[in-house]
Amino acid sequence: MFRTWRQKITMTDIMVWIIGLSIAVVVIWGTISTLQSGKYSAASWFDLVIKGLALGGVYALIAMGYTLVYGILRMINFAHSEVFMSGPFTAVFLANALQSNGFLSRQPLLGMLAITLLSMAVSMSVAILVERVAYRPLRNAPRLVPLITAIGASFFLQYTFRGFYGSGFEAYPTIEALNGYWRIGAIPLFKTQAVVIIAAVVMMFLLYAIVMWSKLGKAMRAVSEDKEAAALMGIDVDAIIVFTFALGGAAAGAGGILYILQFPVVHFYMGFIPGLKAFTAAVLGGIGNVPGAFLGAMVLGLLESVGPNLFLDGLGIPVASQLKDAIAFIILVFILIFRPSGILGERLSQTKV
Amino acid sequence: MDNILVSKKVTKRFGGLEALGKVDLELKKGAIQSIIGPNGAGKTTFFNCVTGFYTPEEGEILFNGRNITGMSPDRVTHLGISRTYQNIRLFKNMTAIENILVGMHPHLKSWLIGAIIRDPRTVHEEAEALKEAYRLLEYVGLKGRGDMLAKNLPYGEQRRLEIARALASRPKLLLLDEPTAGMNPSETQDMVHFIQRLRDELGITILIIEHQMRVVMSISEKITVLDFGRKIAEGTAKEIQTNPTVIEAYLGRGAASGLGETAAKG
Amino acid sequence: MQNQYTDWKQALRSGLLGGAITVLLSLIGIVTAFSNTYIVNKVISFGELLIVGPIAALSLVAIQKARARHPGLLILTAIISGLTSGLVILALAGLGQVINLRAMFLNASNDLYAIYAYKQALVPGLLLRLLVSGLVGALVAGFTLLPGRIKAAISQGLLYVILVGLMGRLIGTVLNTWGFVAILFKWMFVANSLSPIGAIFLFLLTGGLAYWRYGRPKTKQITDPKKQKLVRWGTLGGFGLLLIFLPNILGMWFSEILDNVGLFILMGLGLNIVVGFAGLLDLGYVAFYAIGAYTIGVLTSPELGFFNLTFWQAFPIALIMAFLAGVLLGLPILKMRGDYLAIVTLGFGEIIRILVLSDWLKPWLGGTQGIQRIQRPVVGIGEFSITLQSQQQLYYLILAGIVLVAFVAVRLRDSRLGRTWMALREDEDVAVAMGINHVATKLTAFAMGALFSGIGGTLFAAKIGSIYPSSFQFLVSINILSLIIVGGMGSIPGVFVGALALMGLPELMREFAEYRYLFYGAALVAMMLTKPEGLWPEARHRLEFHEEETPPPEESEAVPESA
């Protein structure tokens, strides 16, 4: 038994483990010294956790697009970050119009609903369009080809929307109903964050229900298992793929509105980082796996929000929050090295593509 | 030490499915042996275990007395095991000669620096390699096809090229996965002679997976029968032909396998 | 009857699509931006071409898809398609009159509608537009009915007029510096575009040439190997001389562009090894570029004052750093599948950028303020040494770098290592079964790419003299990737072509620079859909030591290599 072990271990593994261990040491050391310094109160930790969960909710909704498409086509829809961007970047004009005629303050719920629906519709249309133009003709091409097309589509979309709406920032109006906070004992809970978390959980559950229990969802899973067999059973594979893109796009559009509730400024480049993070979340949870995407997103949101203060602050790194994106990407690198199947994914580690 | 390959109780599982269950196999140096069995019996899985592509959960595989269980495929090849594939897997967009040159990888040395400065040793090595590659090409009867892209060769020639590529690594043990698949009777006959020539002229031990009973019976010195990942019989062609278990495994599902051959594959 | 019905539908659909594309281009703003970039002075602008082009293209599609064969019906189909497109454009203009589209779409302005209406009063102008759209369809249909020889002549002539017209500024500027040639060509160019007479002349010339050449055998191939060699070395030598004198010919402004293009060629050659040869999609290529540049910066800048080395002392260290970074990143991640690799390298590139930007490393790397006063390279010994400072001087440094890197790339491609990369790219499992250690092999490619990117970084630092984090964005990786894809993955000449097309054009046409990433994105998608092997694909190189003459067997058909 030992001999087989020895034959399997290579220089690479040793090096990877050394890097992994040293990062673990830094993290633990940083955590201990941060906690010892007592710089942050329990309330501020709570605040960070809620922030992280709210962020995680957004990532979860975007991650759905990656995970569903990957499940069916085994490709990374690189343009999904632009699918996410297109919704809120378009809906901002509706929001401002509703704000200026006072509708948003009179009927905040209806107004938000309209904005969200518009955002979802736009993101969905963009996702379907991308599939039709850029991916469908390449269904049987070598793996690298659709990936490159996806990158191209991503840039085309970014700069198309830049051309449409300009290269500047557009601000969403503040929704008065969501200003302020509730109190849980002594600890304040911001209304927006609470609403975002609840909405994200509800929407993720809805998506899960669609995938698991609806007829289309079942067909989707059949296609993801085996396209040919599904086609033989009379399932219109192309239609199911379009549906998958549409569902992922709608989720991203909804996620976009939850995102602007936290960061109420939109611009053409806004999709890039959240998209990459959501992809990380999808991989973290196990790509192709819906509950995995949710779990991965929440974990990532938490790590990103709490991480810089918890791990790095104690090491004396100034403005540690600047490094929050780096944390997310380091996590991505390390999951892919140590557990490419993610937290919940199992099936994919076995399939050799 | 006259067994070149020994497998002891090799077991490979995929999830809940046991693809190989405690398979014992001994292969004599210089022999031609076959593995037969219905579709999905685990024959190719066994090849994959020997070549290091899969790591068996249990059991040991010894090559010339050395434990190679779980060794990476490239190192197994360096030790002297080489194979072909059931569904020909050539480097399609490379020429025939390049395919063979890639097969020679284990006994060439030049690397980064040699490639850039092209020192005399590298130049010499490449020239020698090219010569040998052309010799191999001729040996398998593909003279003059060196500059054709592999994908443009006719089917039978692709099979031969794949064998040439496998021979290029100077193997001691050659694993052939259905070498006569898709061939007509006369082509099949040629292939059988060719395989025998390989053993007789080059002294390579050969293990074959084969479907056509006539081929198996005519060239194998020993036959191992797998069914559902288990060894159900072993012996000479005569013994196998009269073995009731084997007949049952084949005939019992004979009617079904005739119809469902393609569907059941997997 | 049924046939005609489907043709109608097809024509309508094509027309709608053509109109939609035009509207899309308008709303993005390209039409307006290029409305004053004339191809033929005061007659037809590039913006107008962007309106008419999609309409014409989709009419062509409608004709090709039509089942009817009668010429009259075909012309009718094309006219319907054209008119439909025109109606879509009219609809946008009309909508713009009713509601204020501009609140949302910046470019849905009155300027755009005026361009639609040929700067006439809106109603008659738009009717004219509709008429022209139908006419475009009719012309396209008429064109398809012509005999092949005339078709070839017309398309060739149009192509050259458009190309020369677009490059009018470049050609004009260069020509102006060459005294007598300038006088000769003055009548052809007016205000950086073709004059109507020039356009007609050019059209007749190139069209006539195509007409004459149509159906004739191509120029004779030289078969004598000795002569072939002579010709090859001759062209190479001539090309070399041209390259050496290029900065003097083109002048200051172009030298700067040349330098930029050169840097991208250099890095393209490196990334080509990774993506083209070994098939590893590396999206974090910019990270090594940054490492090269920052190492030079940190080691030489007196502002930070740690080391104060000279450029050439720091140079090898920078290369080692880039190479090591490649190895260190490559080791763990090269076992991954292709698409994961792409994302991880992307993430790595971002990590480097974030670190460089951070306040944490500011004392060492300068943070957002970057590093200034980087030492320029000094060439020569003692009294004969000069500091390379001007763009024209630096050109030679970059040129030397390109020559070196191209040489290495060619050597690697034709070696055992190159074969090994190709085998891995074709079928990884089988390659490993051939005894190839895939991690070591990929790592070599990855690290070589990193090294070349590092060289690019050092030269960039030397060229600019000060570096900022903003120079090392993800977009740089995309730039380089795009030029490789457009040129042809794995093709060394393709890198040059790609770099000239993608980096050179936007530099030359400032209006274009604004839309460069839009154009790159579209180019990536279009290339993958229509010509995945690139503009200048790798000719399957013959093996050099030919032993026997091999007549190609007859059953083989030349199948283009698919990427």
Side-chain angles (χ1 to χ4, degrees):
Chain A
M1 207 56 220
F2 180 71
R3 267 185 74 178
T4 53
W5 256 113
R6 217 182 49 193
Q7 275 165 346
K8 288 195 87 172
I9 286 185
T10 56
M11 270 295 296
T12 323
D13 300 324
I14 296 171
M15 214 198 70
V16 169
W17 280 103
I18 290 175
I19 298 176
L21 271 179
S22 46
I23 288 191
V25 167
V26 168
V27 165
I28 292 168
W29 185 36
T31 309
I32 291 172
S33 48
T34 306
L35 291 179
Q36 271 177 349
S37 74
K39 196 166 153 191
Y40 299 96
S41 65
S44 50
W45 286 123
F46 177 80
D47 198 34
L48 285 174
V49 166
I50 293 296
K51 229 184 217 165
L53 289 179
L55 207 53
V58 175
Y59 293 159
L61 286 169
I62 311 174
M64 281 303 288
Y66 287 108
T67 247
L68 291 176
V69 168
Y70 196 93
I72 269 198
L73 292 179
R74 299 281 180 276
M75 66 165 274
I76 299 171
N77 179 9
F78 206 91
H80 192 61
S81 48
E82 271 52 66
V83 169
F84 159 74
M85 170 272 289
S86 63
F89 199 16
T90 306
V92 71
F93 297 100
L94 178 65
N96 282 332
L98 292 181
Q99 171 74 8
S100 61
N101 68 16
F103 185 82
L104 203 54
S105 38
R106 269 182 284 129
Q107 296 277 359
L109 202 64
L110 268 183
M112 279 315 288
L113 195 67
I115 293 167
T116 310
L117 284 179
L118 178 67
S119 171
M120 285 168 76
V122 171
S123 288
M124 193 160 97
S125 321
V126 170
I128 293 172
L129 207 65
V130 169
E131 192 274 333
R132 183 68 194 85
V133 175
Y135 301 151
R136 194 182 298 181
L138 298 169
R139 207 59 53 83
N140 297 314
R143 291 180 70 86
L144 209 53
V145 172
L147 193 58
I148 290 169
T149 322
I151 294 169
S154 166
F155 274 84
F156 183 78
L157 285 174
Q158 252 181 43
Y159 283 82
T160 299
F161 278 89
R162 181 178 185 264
F164 282 173
Y165 307 142
S167 56
F169 293 81
E170 296 280 342
Y172 265 86
T174 44
I175 293 124
E176 282 146 36
L178 289 179
N179 274 344
Y181 48 84
W182 293 302
R183 274 186 183 284
I184 305 175
I187 301 167
L189 174 66
F190 284 94
K191 282 183 188 171
T192 36
Q193 286 166 355
V195 166
V196 166
I197 295 173
I198 293 165
V201 169
V202 169
M203 277 192 259
M204 282 304 285
F205 183 77
L206 267 177
L207 282 167
Y208 184 70
I210 290 174
V211 173
M212 291 312 284
W213 297 311
S214 80
K215 210 176 156 194
L216 275 169
K218 282 178 184 159
M220 226 165 97
R221 284 185 291 140
V223 173
S224 122
E225 283 297 324
D226 187 337
K227 272 198 214 66
E228 278 161 31
L232 283 176
M233 303 311 277
I235 294 173
D236 182 349
V237 175
D238 273 341
I240 294 301
I241 291 175
V242 169
F243 174 69
T244 310
F245 273 84
L247 199 61
I257 295 305
L258 298 190
Y259 184 81
I260 58 95
L261 285 178
Q262 303 170 62
F263 312 98
V265 175
V266 287
H267 53 107
F268 76 100
Y269 203 61
M270 69 182 269
F272 180 64
I273 294 284
L276 208 52
K277 300 258 188 69
F279 175 77
T280 307
V283 173
L284 180 61
I287 198 158
N289 183 323
V290 175
F294 183 70
L295 188 66
M298 287 302 173
V299 172
L300 186 74
L302 275 180
L303 281 174
E304 192 188 313
S305 164
V306 179
N309 298 35
L310 187 59
F311 308 146
L312 300 180
D313 210 301
L315 300 175
I317 293 174
V319 207
S321 62
Q322 280 178 341
L323 300 177
K324 68 183 197 322
D325 292 350
I327 290 184
F329 299 137
I330 289 172
I331 292 170
L332 171 67
V333 175
F334 274 83
I335 310 158
L336 285 177
I337 293 169
F338 289 110
R339 194 177 160 79
S341 54
I343 303 173
L344 293 185
E346 274 172 58
R347 208 190 51 214
L348 258 138
S349 58
Q350 286 286 339
T351 25
K352 206 149 176 149
V353 189
Chain B
M1 251 335 188
D2 46 292
N3 281 333
I4 189 165
L5 185 79
V6 178
S7 92
K8 290 181 190 163
K9 296 199 164 47
V10 167
T11 302
K12 175 74 203 166
R13 294 188 199 93
F14 294 106
L17 182 82
E18 197 177 71
L20 285 177
K22 300 197 168 142
V23 173
D24 289 321
L25 189 137
E26 286 177 4
L27 181 54
K28 279 213 174 58
K29 209 169 261 179
I32 297 180
Q33 268 182 229
S34 303
I35 301 178
I36 63 170
N39 277 321
K43 300 174 306 254
T44 301
T45 308
F46 183 74
F47 268 25
N48 282 333
C49 286
V50 172
T51 52
F53 195 70
Y54 292 153
T55 305
E57 272 82 26
E58 288 162 31
E60 269 188 339
I61 299 169
L62 304 177
F63 177 64
N64 276 333
R66 186 169 171 184
N67 189 349
I68 59 165
T69 325
M71 200 181 259
S72 65
D74 52 313
R75 288 169 71 191
V76 171
T77 308
H78 277 266
L79 290 179
I81 300 179
S82 158
R83 71 172 291 187
T84 65
Y85 296 84
Q86 186 179 355
N87 47 339
I88 307 175
R89 285 175 80 173
L90 289 163
F91 303 116
K92 294 193 187 70
N93 291 312
M94 297 172 79
T95 63
I97 271 297
E98 282 172 331
N99 267 278
I100 299 179
L101 284 171
V102 170
M104 284 184 181
H105 188 89
H107 49 265
L108 300 181
K109 290 199 182 56
S110 84
W111 201 240
L112 193 60
I113 304 297
I116 297 170
I117 60 173
R118 267 196 204 157
D119 54 323
R121 228 187 59 201
T122 307
V123 174
H124 179 75
E125 184 187 277
E126 278 290 288
E128 286 297 310
L130 200 66
K131 242 186 243 167
E132 193 183 332
Y134 274 110
R135 211 177 46 72
L136 271 170
L137 200 66
E138 207 180 321
Y139 186 77
V140 298
L142 292 179
K143 192 178 176 185
R145 299 286 170 116
D147 283 338
M148 282 182 68
L149 291 188
K151 65 178 176 194
N152 295 341
L153 289 170
Y155 182 81
E157 298 192 355
Q158 292 196 9
R159 281 250 175 247
R160 285 161 177 278
L161 180 59
E162 207 189 15
I163 293 178
R165 186 181 67 182
L167 290 176
S169 67
R170 299 181 194 152
K172 301 185 184 85
L173 169 62
L174 182 60
L175 309 177
L176 300 175
D177 199 343
E178 301 199 23
T180 67
M183 289 186 169
N184 64 34
S186 89
E187 284 174 330
T188 305
Q189 205 50 43
D190 286 348
M191 184 54 83
V192 168
H193 289 309
F194 180 65
I195 292 171
Q196 279 166 339
R197 243 180 81 200
L198 285 181
R199 193 262 308 261
D200 298 341
E201 293 177 12
L202 305 176
I204 300 172
T205 313
I206 295 168
L207 183 62
I208 307 174
I209 291 175
E210 190 46 77
H211 258 296
Q212 300 194 38
M213 279 307 139
R214 201 179 300 150
V215 177
V216 175
M217 297 303 167
S218 66
I219 57 171
S220 339
E221 281 133 33
K222 194 164 97 177
I223 298 168
T224 305
V225 188
L226 293 184
D227 191 23
F228 289 116
R230 301 207 165 245
K231 185 165 91 174
I232 57 168
E234 193 167 54
T236 61
K238 248 198 198 116
E239 288 164 10
I240 294 298
Q241 272 167 325
T242 52
N243 186 319
T245 335
V246 178
I247 294 171
E248 200 207 299
Y250 270 86
L251 291 188
R253 293 190 312 219
S257 81
L259 281 172
E261 194 113 89
T262 40
K265 219 163 205 171
Chain C
M1 243 24 245
Q2 188 62 36
N3 276 354
Q4 277 178 32
Y5 176 67
T6 49
D7 283 0
W8 293 119
K9 253 176 44 180
Q10 182 59 47
L12 276 177
R13 212 195 279 166
S14 301
L16 283 176
L17 192 56
I21 293 175
T22 304
V23 165
L24 180 76
L25 293 177
S26 309
L27 289 183
I28 290 173
I30 320 182
V31 170
T32 331
F34 287 105
S35 63
N36 286 321
T37 310
Y38 284 103
I39 290 173
V40 181
N41 199 30
K42 303 284 173 208
V43 177
I44 184 163
S45 71
F46 188 47
E48 177 66 21
L49 195 69
L50 286 172
I51 301 175
V52 178
I55 299 176
L58 267 299
S59 310
L60 196 64
V61 171
I63 293 168
Q64 276 166 354
K65 288 205 174 159
R67 304 238 179 99
R69 282 284 145 257
H70 189 276
L73 282 178
L74 282 182
I75 292 177
L76 202 62
T77 309
I79 290 178
I80 290 171
S81 171
L83 283 177
T84 315
S85 301
L87 281 174
V88 174
I89 295 173
L90 255 58
L92 176 70
L95 194 66
Q97 303 310 309
V98 184
I99 56 171
N100 180 17
L101 284 178
R102 195 139 198 260
M104 191 161 168
F105 296 101
L106 277 183
N107 296 297
S109 59
N110 285 332
D111 287 350
L112 179 71
Y113 307 140
I115 294 165
Y116 281 167
Y118 295 102
K119 313 247 156 101
Q120 310 292 319
L122 207 57
V123 175
L126 286 177
L127 285 178
L128 181 64
R129 166 67 60 191
L130 190 63
L131 213 63
V132 170
S133 303
L135 195 65
V136 165
L139 282 177
V140 167
F143 171 78
T144 57
L145 297 172
L146 292 172
R149 192 166 191 177
I150 300 176
K151 261 199 274 191
I154 292 180
S155 44
Q156 176 102 335
L158 280 180
L159 184 72
Y160 274 95
V161 169
I162 291 172
L163 276 182
V164 173
L166 272 180
M167 308 272 274
R169 162 161 17 187
L170 165 68
I171 298 171
T173 323
V174 175
L175 285 184
N176 271 336
T177 58
W178 296 352
F180 73 101
V181 190
I183 300 164
L184 213 60
F185 284 97
K186 206 147 204 179
W187 55 275
M188 264 185 82
F189 293 95
V190 181
N192 288 336
S193 60
L194 283 168
S195 65
I197 301 172
I200 293 170
F201 170 74
L202 190 68
F203 178 79
L204 289 178
L205 183 77
T206 51
L209 220 61
Y211 185 80
W212 178 72
R213 230 187 319 173
Y214 187 80
R216 276 171 210 263
K218 284 187 180 154
T219 44
K220 269 186 219 153
Q221 293 279 324
I222 304 161
T223 42
D224 181 18
K226 263 188 194 161
K227 262 192 195 163
Q228 246 178 354
K229 215 169 189 178
L230 204 72
V231 170
R232 218 175 78 190
W233 283 109
T235 30
L236 256 175
F239 197 59
L241 277 179
L242 179 72
L243 280 181
I244 287 174
F245 290 109
L246 210 53
N248 295 329
I249 301 171
L250 295 177
M252 269 293 278
W253 184 58
F254 280 106
S255 295
E256 160 129 46
I257 295 175
L258 268 184
D259 285 357
N260 289 337
V261 174
L263 269 179
F264 275 102
I265 290 177
L266 201 156
M267 292 199 291
L269 287 168
L271 187 62
N272 190 39
I273 293 179
V274 186
V275 178
F277 293 176
L280 307 167
L281 192 56
D282 177 1
L283 295 180
Y285 198 60
V286 68
F288 308 110
Y289 179 58
I291 288 172
Y294 265 91
T295 312
I296 288 283
V298 170
L299 291 181
T300 68
S301 168
E303 203 163 84
L304 295 169
F306 298 126
F307 302 97
N308 291 325
L309 300 183
T310 67
F311 179 83
W312 291 114
Q313 285 167 334
F315 184 70
I317 302 174
L319 298 199
I320 292 169
M321 291 291 285
F323 188 78
L324 275 184
V327 173
L328 280 181
L329 176 68
L331 258 182
I333 68 170
L334 287 173
K335 277 194 282 190
M336 281 171 206
R337 284 208 320 270
D339 34 14
Y340 279 10
L341 185 82
I343 298 280
V344 169
T345 46
L346 197 168
F348 179 70
E350 283 297 300
I351 291 174
I352 295 286
R353 199 177 59 84
I354 291 165
L355 288 183
V356 164
L357 256 173
S358 70
D359 287 344
W360 174 38
L361 295 176
K362 194 174 181 182
W364 297 280
L365 301 179
T368 42
Q369 269 112 54
I371 302 177
Q372 273 85 29
R373 290 168 58 204
I374 294 168
Q375 296 290 311
R376 307 280 186 163
V378 178
V379 183
I381 313 160
E383 285 177 42
F384 302 104
S385 62
I386 46 165
T387 310
L388 300 183
Q389 225 152 10
S390 77
Q391 298 299 332
Q392 271 149 315
Q393 289 164 333
L394 283 161
Y395 167 83
Y396 293 101
L397 189 66
I398 293 170
L399 186 65
I402 292 175
V403 170
L404 178 78
V405 171
F407 172 77
V408 172
V410 169
R411 279 284 169 95
L412 287 177
R413 182 194 63 191
D414 296 338
S415 70
R416 168 175 179 251
L417 193 54
R419 266 195 321 262
T420 313
W421 284 334
M422 194 166 177
L424 267 181
R425 196 181 65 196
E426 289 268 312
D427 190 331
E428 184 163 332
D429 292 339
V430 178
V432 170
M434 294 294 118
I436 292 168
N437 179 337
H438 65 303
V439 174
T441 308
K442 285 178 178 178
L443 189 62
T444 319
F446 199 72
M448 283 311 279
L451 175 69
F452 290 166
S453 183
I455 295 181
T458 58
L459 296 185
F460 175 73
K463 177 176 167 296
I464 302 289
S466 49
I467 47 179
Y468 305 95
S470 58
S471 307
F472 305 99
Q473 282 172 358
F474 174 54
L475 287 174
V476 177
S477 300
I478 292 301
N479 271 328
I480 305 172
L481 182 72
S482 306
L483 73 90
I484 289 178
I485 305 289
V486 168
M489 266 189 282
S491 159
I492 291 170
V495 173
F496 288 80
V497 174
L500 284 174
L502 292 194
M503 304 299 132
L505 280 183
E507 297 269 7
L508 293 176
M509 299 172 55
R510 280 291 129 104
E511 300 95 331
F512 218 83
E514 175 92 346
Y515 299 101
R516 90 194 262 171
Y517 292 105
L518 184 84
F519 173 62
Y520 289 177
L524 284 188
V525 177
M527 288 308 284
M528 286 296 117
L529 289 179
T530 58
K531 212 169 162 5
E533 72 276 13
L535 288 179
W536 191 318
E538 170 88 334
R540 292 284 307 131
H541 62 281
R542 301 264 137 209
L543 287 159
E544 292 185 5
F545 324 91
H546 244 243
E547 289 220 321
E548 47 200 314
E549 284 306 308
T550 50
E554 271 166 18
E555 64 262 57
S556 78
E557 277 175 51
V559 181
E561 189 186 342
S562 59

